[in-house]
Amino acid sequence: MSGNTFGKIFRVTTFGESHGKALGAIVDGCPSNLSLSEEDIQLQLNRRRPNASDLSTPRMEKDNVTILSGVFNGKTLGTPICAMIQNEDIGTSEYNVLQNIFRPGHADYTYEKKYGIRDYRSGGRSSGRETIGRVIGGAIAMKVLKEKNIIVSARGSYDLSKLANENGDVDFDNVNDSIGGIVECVVKGCPAGLGEPVFDKLDAELAKACMSIGAVKGVEIGAGFDVTTMTGSENNDQMSSSEKFLTNNAGGILGGISNGNDIVVRVAIKPTPTIAKKQKTIDINGNETEVELKGRNDICIVDRVVVVVESMVAMTILDYYLQNKICNIDNL
Amino acid sequence: MSGNTFGKIFRVTTFGESHGKALGAIVDGCPSNLSLSEEDIQLQLNRRRPNASDLSTPRMEKDNVTILSGVFNGKTLGTPICAMIQNEDIGTSEYNVLQNIFRPGHADYTYEKKYGIRDYRSGGRSSGRETIGRVIGGAIAMKVLKEKNIIVSARGSYDLSKLANENGDVDFDNVNDSIGGIVECVVKGCPAGLGEPVFDKLDAELAKACMSIGAVKGVEIGAGFDVTTMTGSENNDQMSSSEKFLTNNAGGILGGISNGNDIVVRVAIKPTPTIAKKQKTIDINGNETEVELKGRNDICIVDRVVVVVESMVAMTILDYYLQNKICNIDNL
Amino acid sequence: MSGNTFGKIFRVTTFGESHGKALGAIVDGCPSNLSLSEEDIQLQLNRRRPNASDLSTPRMEKDNVTILSGVFNGKTLGTPICAMIQNEDIGTSEYNVLQNIFRPGHADYTYEKKYGIRDYRSGGRSSGRETIGRVIGGAIAMKVLKEKNIIVSARGSYDLSKLANENGDVDFDNVNDSIGGIVECVVKGCPAGLGEPVFDKLDAELAKACMSIGAVKGVEIGAGFDVTTMTGSENNDQMSSSEKFLTNNAGGILGGISNGNDIVVRVAIKPTPTIAKKQKTIDINGNETEVELKGRNDICIVDRVVVVVESMVAMTILDYYLQNKICNIDNL
Amino acid sequence: MSGNTFGKIFRVTTFGESHGKALGAIVDGCPSNLSLSEEDIQLQLNRRRPNASDLSTPRMEKDNVTILSGVFNGKTLGTPICAMIQNEDIGTSEYNVLQNIFRPGHADYTYEKKYGIRDYRSGGRSSGRETIGRVIGGAIAMKVLKEKNIIVSARGSYDLSKLANENGDVDFDNVNDSIGGIVECVVKGCPAGLGEPVFDKLDAELAKACMSIGAVKGVEIGAGFDVTTMTGSENNDQMSSSEKFLTNNAGGILGGISNGNDIVVRVAIKPTPTIAKKQKTIDINGNETEVELKGRNDICIVDRVVVVVESMVAMTILDYYLQNKICNIDNL
């Protein structure tokens, strides 16, 4: 049905296929009177673009953003903000080879099964270009959060050694495999009280937000999976006066509600599925075949995912910040 | 705001505090004409009750369920199903000591900060007894799924050695610490096509579903965090004819949509925060103090969480099963 | 699917059939720290009970409410409030006659077509007893609004002359027909700014709220249908200084947002469909038959609907009051 | 908060201000494999454009639609469909006079109160141009419904005599007042079973859908307000065999569920608030002033609202058609 909207109050609805005319988002529920410019969004979009490094795809879209609505004289109106970029590089003939096969590790097969149709050009809606809409939403969310001194920042880590030759070097021109890695995101300045028990706990929504990013296969909060080897006395964060916690195994969230500590989220990024190695697969008629994918791909997308994780976390934190404003009658 | 509802079509809204009059759920959107009895629910509720083992709390509620609405002559009506249990053991004087302090690892502090008020009797709404509503919803979801030959089952694992004395034995009567563990849940028989890109991917919603369980600090799908050390050629699940995948690193989900393989979810359960060891904390006036919690607690809740994880996964799968019925005009 | 929840932030989910075990509601998203007692709800429930007048059904349920959760020491916790009444008079044998026929003007036929099953005892979920859940929600909403000096009150009007005999008198013991009427609801003290353009305009949601009441067939705001015979210069509400409107044809709402004037809603109530006159209908096999319904019915339900309209309007106004708190960054 | 989305499954989110860069909509949840072209939408958009008649504004935008996403090789993908038109005539200097005053009958005052900012150019988001997004959504909904042989059509009626001079003629060049009227919409071919009790009844959602149109002040179903003068025996629609109703006072809806009869909705359209007569109002500092609005306005918008009403009704019917597919386990 309709899964392209994120958030309850600050709601971001995205659209666009990899090789369609445009990609973008409508951001509804953004508070009015926020200063906002196209440059605020462009700066974040630039961070997700493939860079000049050896690790990224050679497809080089400019991804210039235009704000179509919701902003007047440099301020948000409280009405929906539509922002989008137009695709330039939509030559399609090179993708015809993908029309009849399902690439391993991609969503080709599942989209075909679900919808009975798919845009086979570079994955269509399931392409990483879909994250442009997320970054638009995230850029606006971060702008609001900054006004409240809440800062969201992430960093990636990965290990190239798996791709190294016997000399320990990576020959980027000829590497035919890929790797994943970890992105860790920290929210600083988040007040206590954000989160809506029981199903809409802050950590639950952060888990959804991050797991919805195409390449993510795991999410953990604070000590995460390490809690399984700790005792209660090791894991509990004891408190001192002045409402400080002596440790932060909880990752800033207790009972689904922020406790004033840094919020810490860690996500597992799978290796890029597009690789130049020969792989077994089937065609749309169910016949066995093999596929080798050469060309426009990233050896490791971790660096590019960083701003996407920040965007999802920022949208979540803002949505819960707004929700929390109305939970206690003494504050109304 | 209102975080006590789970699901879009099959919607479960739960209520109840640990020591209030009753706990339960309204299940809205359950298809009509399903055979359903109180026994169907009771069997699942019994699985989450503390058992006679050494690991569980001595509080022994019967948790007898009553269906108040939505079922007529043994069949669901398509109207909301309200089911609940009444609390028996609600003696409160023993909890007065908790009125003025914040227990480490519990949500006492964050509820106080958020709402300016809390039911301090055993955590109130943040108690594990809240999961009764989840199990009610899950039992009904599993009943529907079974009609479609979809089976959800989980199992727990944990390591008692951390609690052992020098002889390698655990003295359950005197142990004053606790442990966590892992629950792994597998869905068998799930057809391809379930999941709603981009934000409501099946794995995203499963992550939220599981992370919303109080004790969970991490969620992973398929190979999960292990993908961070794999190459693309190792991680990609290649296909053979007859639409079979040769491996299942994806955990049954590609691009947020089920691929017909077993769905595999793994969650990290933190050690029970209630321990008999002395811990530093503060009181509601911000003064430092210490707390030792003796009495009605679980040394390890992993076994009891198993049915809760199954319930959350079942509700998610059913909700997406229903959503998937209406995505392709050729099937309408 | 799941249509038993009303509201976005202040969310009321109701349950219960006319002759089931219980009827009630879960109210989620009520602000914490509100003083609330069972008596607050009981007073409103008593207003919807059949009274001693000649116009009401002789079925006399006590409808005593119990709060099961969400309130602690007389204050709301911010957790879901479940409140319910138990049915007493659920003798069913007298309803067996309804098992196989569709009563004209009732939902028997449409429930059967939709769900393939129905609780035929006095309409089951489609009975007017369903409004008990609405009144529970409304009573709580009105309690919150009163704290903000917003008062919701309605009154009914109807014309008995259609039921009079040639002497101009109504013989209540032998009248075999029924009438409807009008309920007008006014909200005083509502601040300007409530309402969420474009689809969730305040008047749009009020229209839905009121039209969702079983007997309502029309809703109008302010001058309502009379605007069709007015010119713009007659209909426009001109303004004077001190932000006063010189008239109130708009019924307190401009562009879907409250303007500070009294909000005025008027609804059309259809005549009770249960009448003692012989009517043509069909049975569940599609055969023609006739039906005469004698017994427990209201000649006119307008007086009893008054509190239901107030409840729906109050829930709507409160939901929008809360939504409006978070729309302008200067107020966050 | 975020009121710019309509629908649960078939979800339409609109954006755009009267004099912004663009107006449009994202349609999420449209079934895949539907044939859809820009022309399908353009034909409906042309119906809402001002025409050459004497009654419409002289502002003549082309309103050429572009589909940006969600359609591939002439078929819907199941992914969000973004469609928009670009504004051409956005000269703003002529609107500077509106910057500091509140026009009677318009939303200027309430937007200012709510958001603390507004796009004063022809009402910004509250302009009738906002309905472009609705017509986009409606055109797509009607395309789906047509596949199921469900046809939505409306017609308007109004009385020009109020604007006539003593000779009974209307001097369109010099008329300085405006009128409203009625739009009646009929849905033919709608199967029984659509509608989700209790709050999301089909008539309740239709009432919201129609009342959300800027100029609408009243909504009625079937006999509507006339039921207040009928007896039960007059109003009840009796049945004959072959599941036919002998009358249609219910307007095709019983208990909130379609009964297979024609669905009949009637809405009251207020007279255009923009008139050339002098009116009292205040400026943004609260000082009394007067205003005369000459120029680009409609004497009567009823003819242009017809397609907007159809659009809202079509979106509602389709959303409920989809919801109804999953309510009975025997049909899953």
Side-chain angles (χ1 to χ4, degrees):
Chain A
M1 41 191 272
S2 45
N4 296 283
T5 299
F6 186 81
K8 279 185 168 181
I9 290 177
F10 183 86
R11 287 174 75 78
V12 178
T13 303
T14 72
F15 68 92
E17 284 81 41
S18 175
H19 286 63
K21 286 193 184 160
L23 296 123
I26 297 178
V27 178
D28 198 8
C30 181
S32 62
N33 281 311
L34 175 76
S35 294
L36 186 70
S37 68
E38 287 172 348
E39 195 180 7
D40 291 323
I41 301 171
Q42 193 65 56
L43 285 171
Q44 300 299 325
L45 282 174
N46 291 347
R47 294 174 61 204
R48 78 159 288 291
R49 289 182 62 217
N51 54 31
S53 90
D54 297 313
L55 298 176
S56 294
T57 170
R59 178 179 175 184
M60 291 297 285
E61 291 274 357
K62 288 212 196 70
D63 292 347
N64 286 333
V65 74
T66 307
I67 295 177
L68 298 173
S69 67
V71 178
F72 183 55
N73 293 338
K75 298 265 190 181
T76 57
L77 286 165
T79 62
I81 303 163
C82 185
M84 74 173 198
I85 66 100
Q86 287 180 286
N87 282 320
E88 300 172 333
D89 182 4
I90 54 178
T92 64
S93 59
E94 61 192 296
Y95 291 104
N96 286 348
V97 65
L98 302 179
Q99 188 167 358
N100 296 316
I101 60 157
F102 302 128
R103 293 168 300 163
H106 281 280
D108 301 344
Y109 176 73
T110 51
Y111 269 65
E112 187 74 36
K113 293 303 261 187
K114 183 175 189 69
Y115 299 111
I117 183 177
R118 75 196 150 92
D119 180 350
Y120 51 80
R121 297 168 301 169
S122 202
R125 182 69 178 151
S126 72
S127 157
R129 282 188 70 69
E130 160 266 306
T131 59
I132 284 170
R134 299 176 189 250
V135 174
I136 290 169
I140 298 173
M142 283 188 247
K143 197 84 199 288
V144 181
L145 290 175
K146 208 174 164 186
E147 301 265 324
K148 302 296 164 189
N149 300 309
I150 303 172
I151 305 297
V152 178
S153 68
R155 62 194 173 79
S157 61
Y158 46 87
D159 178 6
L160 288 172
S161 65
K162 277 245 166 182
L163 302 179
N165 57 24
E166 56 240 9
N167 303 328
D169 302 321
V170 181
D171 175 2
F172 289 107
D173 290 335
N174 294 299
V175 70
N176 57 8
D177 216 332
S178 63
I179 55 163
I182 293 275
V183 174
E184 181 174 291
C185 186
V186 177
V187 185
K188 288 187 178 296
C190 183
L194 276 54
E196 303 295 325
V198 300
F199 295 114
D200 295 341
K201 290 188 168 86
L202 180 55
D203 37 357
E205 196 69 18
L206 286 169
K208 176 175 180 175
C210 293
M211 195 71 96
S212 78
I213 302 168
V216 173
K217 297 302 285 184
V219 182
E220 54 183 16
I221 307 290
F225 276 86
D226 285 350
V227 296
T228 64
T229 62
M230 296 161 87
T231 62
S233 61
E234 290 164 351
N235 182 54
N236 282 349
D237 299 313
Q238 299 182 46
M239 297 186 81
S240 70
S241 61
S242 41
E243 308 196 359
K244 285 281 183 298
F245 291 87
L246 301 174
T247 49
N248 190 17
N249 290 317
I253 303 173
L254 273 172
I257 301 171
S258 63
N259 66 13
N261 249 353
D262 286 357
I263 293 171
V264 182
V265 186
R266 217 169 300 101
V267 305
I269 309 292
K270 74 174 184 181
T272 325
T274 308
I275 55 174
K277 275 192 176 167
K278 198 170 284 189
Q279 298 174 90
K280 290 183 186 169
T281 190
I282 59 172
D283 64 23
I284 57 171
N285 299 312
N287 301 314
E288 290 195 6
T289 182
E290 286 183 325
V291 64
E292 261 182 274
L293 300 162
K294 303 204 170 173
R296 304 175 160 197
N297 306 296
D298 302 78
I299 295 165
C300 177
I301 57 164
V302 171
D303 287 335
R304 296 180 63 195
V305 173
V306 164
V307 66
V308 180
V309 172
E310 285 178 4
S311 294
M312 295 308 301
V313 170
M315 287 192 266
T316 306
I317 297 291
L318 175 57
D319 200 37
Y320 280 80
Y321 182 89
L322 295 170
Q323 290 181 48
N324 190 47
K325 285 285 164 191
I326 47 183
C327 76
N328 182 337
I329 199 166
D330 295 341
N331 302 333
L332 289 177
Chain B
M1 43 189 273
S2 45
N4 296 283
T5 299
F6 187 81
K8 278 185 169 181
I9 290 178
F10 183 85
R11 288 174 74 80
V12 179
T13 303
T14 73
F15 68 92
E17 284 79 42
S18 175
H19 286 63
K21 285 190 183 163
L23 296 122
I26 296 178
V27 178
D28 198 9
C30 181
S32 63
N33 281 312
L34 174 76
S35 294
L36 185 70
S37 68
E38 287 172 348
E39 196 180 6
D40 291 322
I41 301 171
Q42 192 66 53
L43 285 171
Q44 301 298 328
L45 282 174
N46 291 348
R47 293 175 61 206
R48 75 160 290 291
R49 288 182 62 216
N51 54 29
S53 90
D54 297 312
L55 298 175
S56 292
T57 169
R59 179 178 174 183
M60 291 299 283
E61 291 274 357
K62 288 211 196 72
D63 293 347
N64 286 333
V65 74
T66 307
I67 295 177
L68 298 173
S69 67
V71 178
F72 184 55
N73 293 338
K75 296 265 191 181
T76 57
L77 285 164
T79 63
I81 303 163
C82 186
M84 73 172 198
I85 66 100
Q86 287 180 287
N87 282 320
E88 300 172 331
D89 182 4
I90 54 176
T92 63
S93 60
E94 61 191 294
Y95 291 105
N96 286 348
V97 63
L98 301 179
Q99 187 167 357
N100 296 316
I101 60 156
F102 302 128
R103 293 168 301 162
H106 282 280
D108 301 345
Y109 175 74
T110 51
Y111 268 65
E112 186 75 35
K113 294 302 263 188
K114 183 174 189 68
Y115 299 111
I117 183 176
R118 74 198 151 92
D119 180 349
Y120 51 80
R121 298 168 301 169
S122 202
R125 181 72 178 149
S126 71
S127 158
R129 282 187 71 67
E130 160 265 308
T131 58
I132 284 169
R134 298 175 190 251
V135 174
I136 290 170
I140 298 173
M142 284 188 247
K143 198 84 198 292
V144 181
L145 290 176
K146 209 175 163 186
E147 301 266 324
K148 303 295 164 190
N149 299 311
I150 303 171
I151 305 296
V152 178
S153 69
R155 62 193 173 80
S157 61
Y158 44 88
D159 177 5
L160 288 171
S161 65
K162 276 245 167 184
L163 302 179
N165 57 23
E166 57 240 9
N167 302 329
D169 302 322
V170 180
D171 175 3
F172 289 107
D173 291 335
N174 294 299
V175 69
N176 56 11
D177 215 334
S178 63
I179 55 163
I182 294 274
V183 174
E184 181 174 291
C185 187
V186 176
V187 184
K188 289 186 177 295
C190 184
L194 277 54
E196 302 296 326
V198 299
F199 295 114
D200 296 341
K201 290 188 167 87
L202 180 57
D203 37 358
E205 197 69 19
L206 285 169
K208 177 175 179 176
C210 293
M211 194 71 94
S212 78
I213 302 169
V216 173
K217 298 301 285 184
V219 182
E220 55 183 15
I221 306 292
F225 276 86
D226 285 350
V227 296
T228 64
T229 60
M230 296 162 87
T231 62
S233 61
E234 290 164 349
N235 182 55
N236 282 350
D237 299 314
Q238 299 181 45
M239 297 187 80
S240 71
S241 61
S242 40
E243 307 196 0
K244 285 280 184 298
F245 292 87
L246 301 174
T247 49
N248 191 15
N249 289 316
I253 302 174
L254 273 172
I257 301 171
S258 63
N259 65 12
N261 249 352
D262 286 357
I263 294 171
V264 182
V265 186
R266 218 169 298 103
V267 305
I269 310 292
K270 75 175 185 180
T272 326
T274 308
I275 54 174
K277 274 192 177 167
K278 196 170 285 187
Q279 298 174 90
K280 289 182 186 171
T281 191
I282 59 172
D283 64 22
I284 58 172
N285 299 313
N287 301 315
E288 290 194 3
T289 181
E290 288 183 325
V291 64
E292 260 182 277
L293 300 162
K294 305 205 167 172
R296 305 176 158 197
N297 306 297
D298 302 79
I299 294 165
C300 177
I301 57 163
V302 170
D303 287 335
R304 297 180 64 195
V305 173
V306 165
V307 67
V308 180
V309 172
E310 284 178 5
S311 294
M312 295 309 302
V313 169
M315 287 191 267
T316 305
I317 298 291
L318 175 56
D319 200 38
Y320 279 80
Y321 182 90
L322 295 170
Q323 289 182 47
N324 190 48
K325 285 284 166 190
I326 47 183
C327 76
N328 183 336
I329 200 166
D330 295 340
N331 302 332
L332 289 177
Chain C
M1 42 189 274
S2 45
N4 296 282
T5 298
F6 186 82
K8 279 186 169 181
I9 289 178
F10 183 86
R11 286 174 75 78
V12 178
T13 304
T14 72
F15 68 92
E17 284 79 44
S18 174
H19 286 62
K21 285 192 184 160
L23 297 124
I26 297 179
V27 178
D28 199 7
C30 181
S32 63
N33 281 311
L34 175 75
S35 294
L36 185 72
S37 68
E38 287 172 347
E39 196 180 7
D40 291 323
I41 301 171
Q42 193 65 56
L43 285 170
Q44 300 299 327
L45 282 174
N46 291 348
R47 295 175 60 205
R48 77 160 288 293
R49 289 181 62 216
N51 54 30
S53 89
D54 297 313
L55 298 175
S56 293
T57 169
R59 179 177 174 185
M60 291 298 283
E61 290 276 356
K62 287 213 196 71
D63 292 346
N64 286 334
V65 74
T66 307
I67 296 177
L68 297 173
S69 68
V71 178
F72 184 55
N73 292 338
K75 297 265 190 179
T76 57
L77 285 164
T79 62
I81 302 163
C82 186
M84 73 173 198
I85 67 99
Q86 288 180 286
N87 282 320
E88 300 172 331
D89 181 3
I90 55 177
T92 63
S93 59
E94 62 191 293
Y95 291 105
N96 285 349
V97 64
L98 302 179
Q99 189 168 356
N100 296 317
I101 59 156
F102 302 127
R103 293 168 299 162
H106 281 281
D108 300 345
Y109 175 73
T110 51
Y111 269 65
E112 187 75 35
K113 294 302 262 186
K114 182 174 190 68
Y115 298 111
I117 184 177
R118 74 197 153 91
D119 180 351
Y120 51 80
R121 298 168 300 171
S122 200
R125 181 71 178 150
S126 72
S127 157
R129 282 189 69 68
E130 159 266 307
T131 59
I132 285 170
R134 300 176 189 251
V135 174
I136 289 170
I140 298 174
M142 283 188 245
K143 198 82 199 291
V144 182
L145 290 175
K146 208 175 163 186
E147 300 266 324
K148 303 295 164 189
N149 298 312
I150 303 171
I151 304 298
V152 178
S153 68
R155 62 196 172 79
S157 61
Y158 45 89
D159 177 7
L160 289 171
S161 65
K162 277 243 166 185
L163 302 179
N165 56 25
E166 57 240 7
N167 302 328
D169 302 322
V170 181
D171 175 3
F172 290 106
D173 291 333
N174 294 301
V175 70
N176 55 9
D177 215 333
S178 63
I179 55 163
I182 293 275
V183 174
E184 180 174 291
C185 186
V186 176
V187 184
K188 290 187 177 292
C190 184
L194 276 54
E196 304 295 326
V198 298
F199 295 114
D200 295 341
K201 290 188 168 87
L202 181 56
D203 37 358
E205 196 69 18
L206 286 169
K208 177 176 179 176
C210 293
M211 194 71 95
S212 78
I213 302 169
V216 173
K217 297 301 285 185
V219 181
E220 54 183 14
I221 306 291
F225 276 87
D226 285 350
V227 297
T228 63
T229 59
M230 296 162 85
T231 63
S233 61
E234 289 164 350
N235 182 55
N236 282 349
D237 299 313
Q238 300 182 44
M239 296 187 81
S240 71
S241 61
S242 42
E243 308 194 1
K244 286 278 184 299
F245 292 87
L246 301 174
T247 49
N248 190 18
N249 289 318
I253 303 174
L254 273 172
I257 301 171
S258 64
N259 66 12
N261 250 353
D262 287 356
I263 293 170
V264 183
V265 186
R266 217 168 300 102
V267 305
I269 309 293
K270 75 174 184 180
T272 325
T274 308
I275 54 174
K277 275 193 176 165
K278 197 170 285 189
Q279 298 174 89
K280 290 183 185 169
T281 189
I282 60 172
D283 64 23
I284 58 172
N285 300 312
N287 300 314
E288 291 195 6
T289 182
E290 287 182 326
V291 64
E292 260 183 276
L293 300 162
K294 304 206 169 173
R296 304 176 159 197
N297 307 298
D298 301 80
I299 295 166
C300 177
I301 57 164
V302 171
D303 287 334
R304 297 181 63 196
V305 174
V306 165
V307 67
V308 180
V309 172
E310 285 179 5
S311 294
M312 294 309 300
V313 170
M315 288 191 267
T316 305
I317 298 291
L318 174 56
D319 200 37
Y320 279 80
Y321 182 89
L322 296 170
Q323 290 181 48
N324 190 47
K325 284 285 165 189
I326 47 182
C327 77
N328 182 337
I329 200 166
D330 295 341
N331 302 333
L332 289 178
Chain D
M1 44 188 272
S2 45
N4 297 283
T5 300
F6 187 80
K8 279 185 169 181
I9 289 177
F10 183 86
R11 287 173 75 78
V12 178
T13 303
T14 72
F15 68 91
E17 284 80 44
S18 174
H19 285 63
K21 285 191 184 162
L23 296 123
I26 297 178
V27 178
D28 198 9
C30 180
S32 62
N33 281 312
L34 175 76
S35 294
L36 186 70
S37 68
E38 287 173 347
E39 195 179 8
D40 291 322
I41 302 171
Q42 193 66 55
L43 286 170
Q44 299 299 327
L45 281 174
N46 291 347
R47 294 174 61 204
R48 76 160 290 292
R49 288 182 63 216
N51 53 31
S53 88
D54 297 313
L55 298 175
S56 293
T57 169
R59 180 178 174 184
M60 291 299 284
E61 291 275 357
K62 287 210 197 71
D63 293 345
N64 285 334
V65 74
T66 308
I67 295 178
L68 298 174
S69 67
V71 178
F72 183 55
N73 292 339
K75 297 265 191 180
T76 57
L77 286 164
T79 63
I81 303 163
C82 185
M84 72 173 200
I85 66 100
Q86 287 180 286
N87 281 320
E88 300 172 332
D89 181 3
I90 54 177
T92 63
S93 59
E94 61 192 293
Y95 291 104
N96 285 348
V97 64
L98 302 178
Q99 187 167 358
N100 296 316
I101 59 156
F102 301 128
R103 293 168 299 162
H106 281 280
D108 301 345
Y109 175 74
T110 51
Y111 269 65
E112 186 76 35
K113 293 303 260 187
K114 183 175 190 68
Y115 297 111
I117 183 176
R118 74 197 151 91
D119 180 349
Y120 51 79
R121 297 168 301 170
S122 202
R125 181 72 177 149
S126 72
S127 157
R129 281 187 71 69
E130 159 265 307
T131 58
I132 284 170
R134 300 175 188 251
V135 173
I136 290 170
I140 299 173
M142 283 188 247
K143 198 85 198 288
V144 182
L145 290 176
K146 208 175 164 187
E147 301 267 322
K148 302 298 164 188
N149 299 311
I150 302 171
I151 305 296
V152 178
S153 69
R155 62 193 173 82
S157 60
Y158 44 89
D159 177 6
L160 288 171
S161 65
K162 276 246 167 183
L163 302 179
N165 56 24
E166 56 240 9
N167 303 329
D169 302 321
V170 180
D171 174 2
F172 289 108
D173 291 335
N174 293 299
V175 70
N176 57 9
D177 215 334
S178 63
I179 56 164
I182 293 275
V183 174
E184 181 173 289
C185 187
V186 176
V187 185
K188 290 188 177 294
C190 184
L194 276 54
E196 303 295 325
V198 297
F199 294 114
D200 296 341
K201 289 187 168 87
L202 180 56
D203 38 357
E205 197 69 19
L206 285 170
K208 177 175 179 175
C210 292
M211 194 72 95
S212 78
I213 302 169
V216 173
K217 297 301 285 183
V219 182
E220 55 183 15
I221 307 291
F225 276 86
D226 285 351
V227 296
T228 64
T229 60
M230 296 162 88
T231 62
S233 61
E234 290 164 349
N235 182 55
N236 283 349
D237 298 314
Q238 299 182 44
M239 296 186 81
S240 71
S241 61
S242 41
E243 308 196 0
K244 286 282 185 297
F245 292 87
L246 301 174
T247 49
N248 190 17
N249 291 316
I253 302 174
L254 273 173
I257 301 170
S258 63
N259 66 11
N261 248 352
D262 286 356
I263 294 171
V264 182
V265 186
R266 217 169 299 101
V267 305
I269 310 292
K270 74 174 185 179
T272 324
T274 307
I275 54 175
K277 273 192 177 168
K278 198 170 284 189
Q279 298 174 89
K280 289 182 187 172
T281 189
I282 60 172
D283 64 23
I284 59 171
N285 299 312
N287 300 315
E288 291 194 4
T289 182
E290 288 182 324
V291 64
E292 261 183 277
L293 300 162
K294 305 207 169 173
R296 304 176 160 199
N297 307 297
D298 301 79
I299 294 164
C300 178
I301 57 165
V302 170
D303 286 334
R304 298 181 62 196
V305 174
V306 165
V307 68
V308 180
V309 172
E310 284 179 4
S311 294
M312 294 309 301
V313 170
M315 288 192 267
T316 305
I317 297 292
L318 174 57
D319 200 38
Y320 280 79
Y321 182 90
L322 295 170
Q323 290 180 48
N324 190 48
K325 285 283 165 191
I326 47 182
C327 77
N328 183 337
I329 199 166
D330 294 341
N331 301 333
L332 289 178

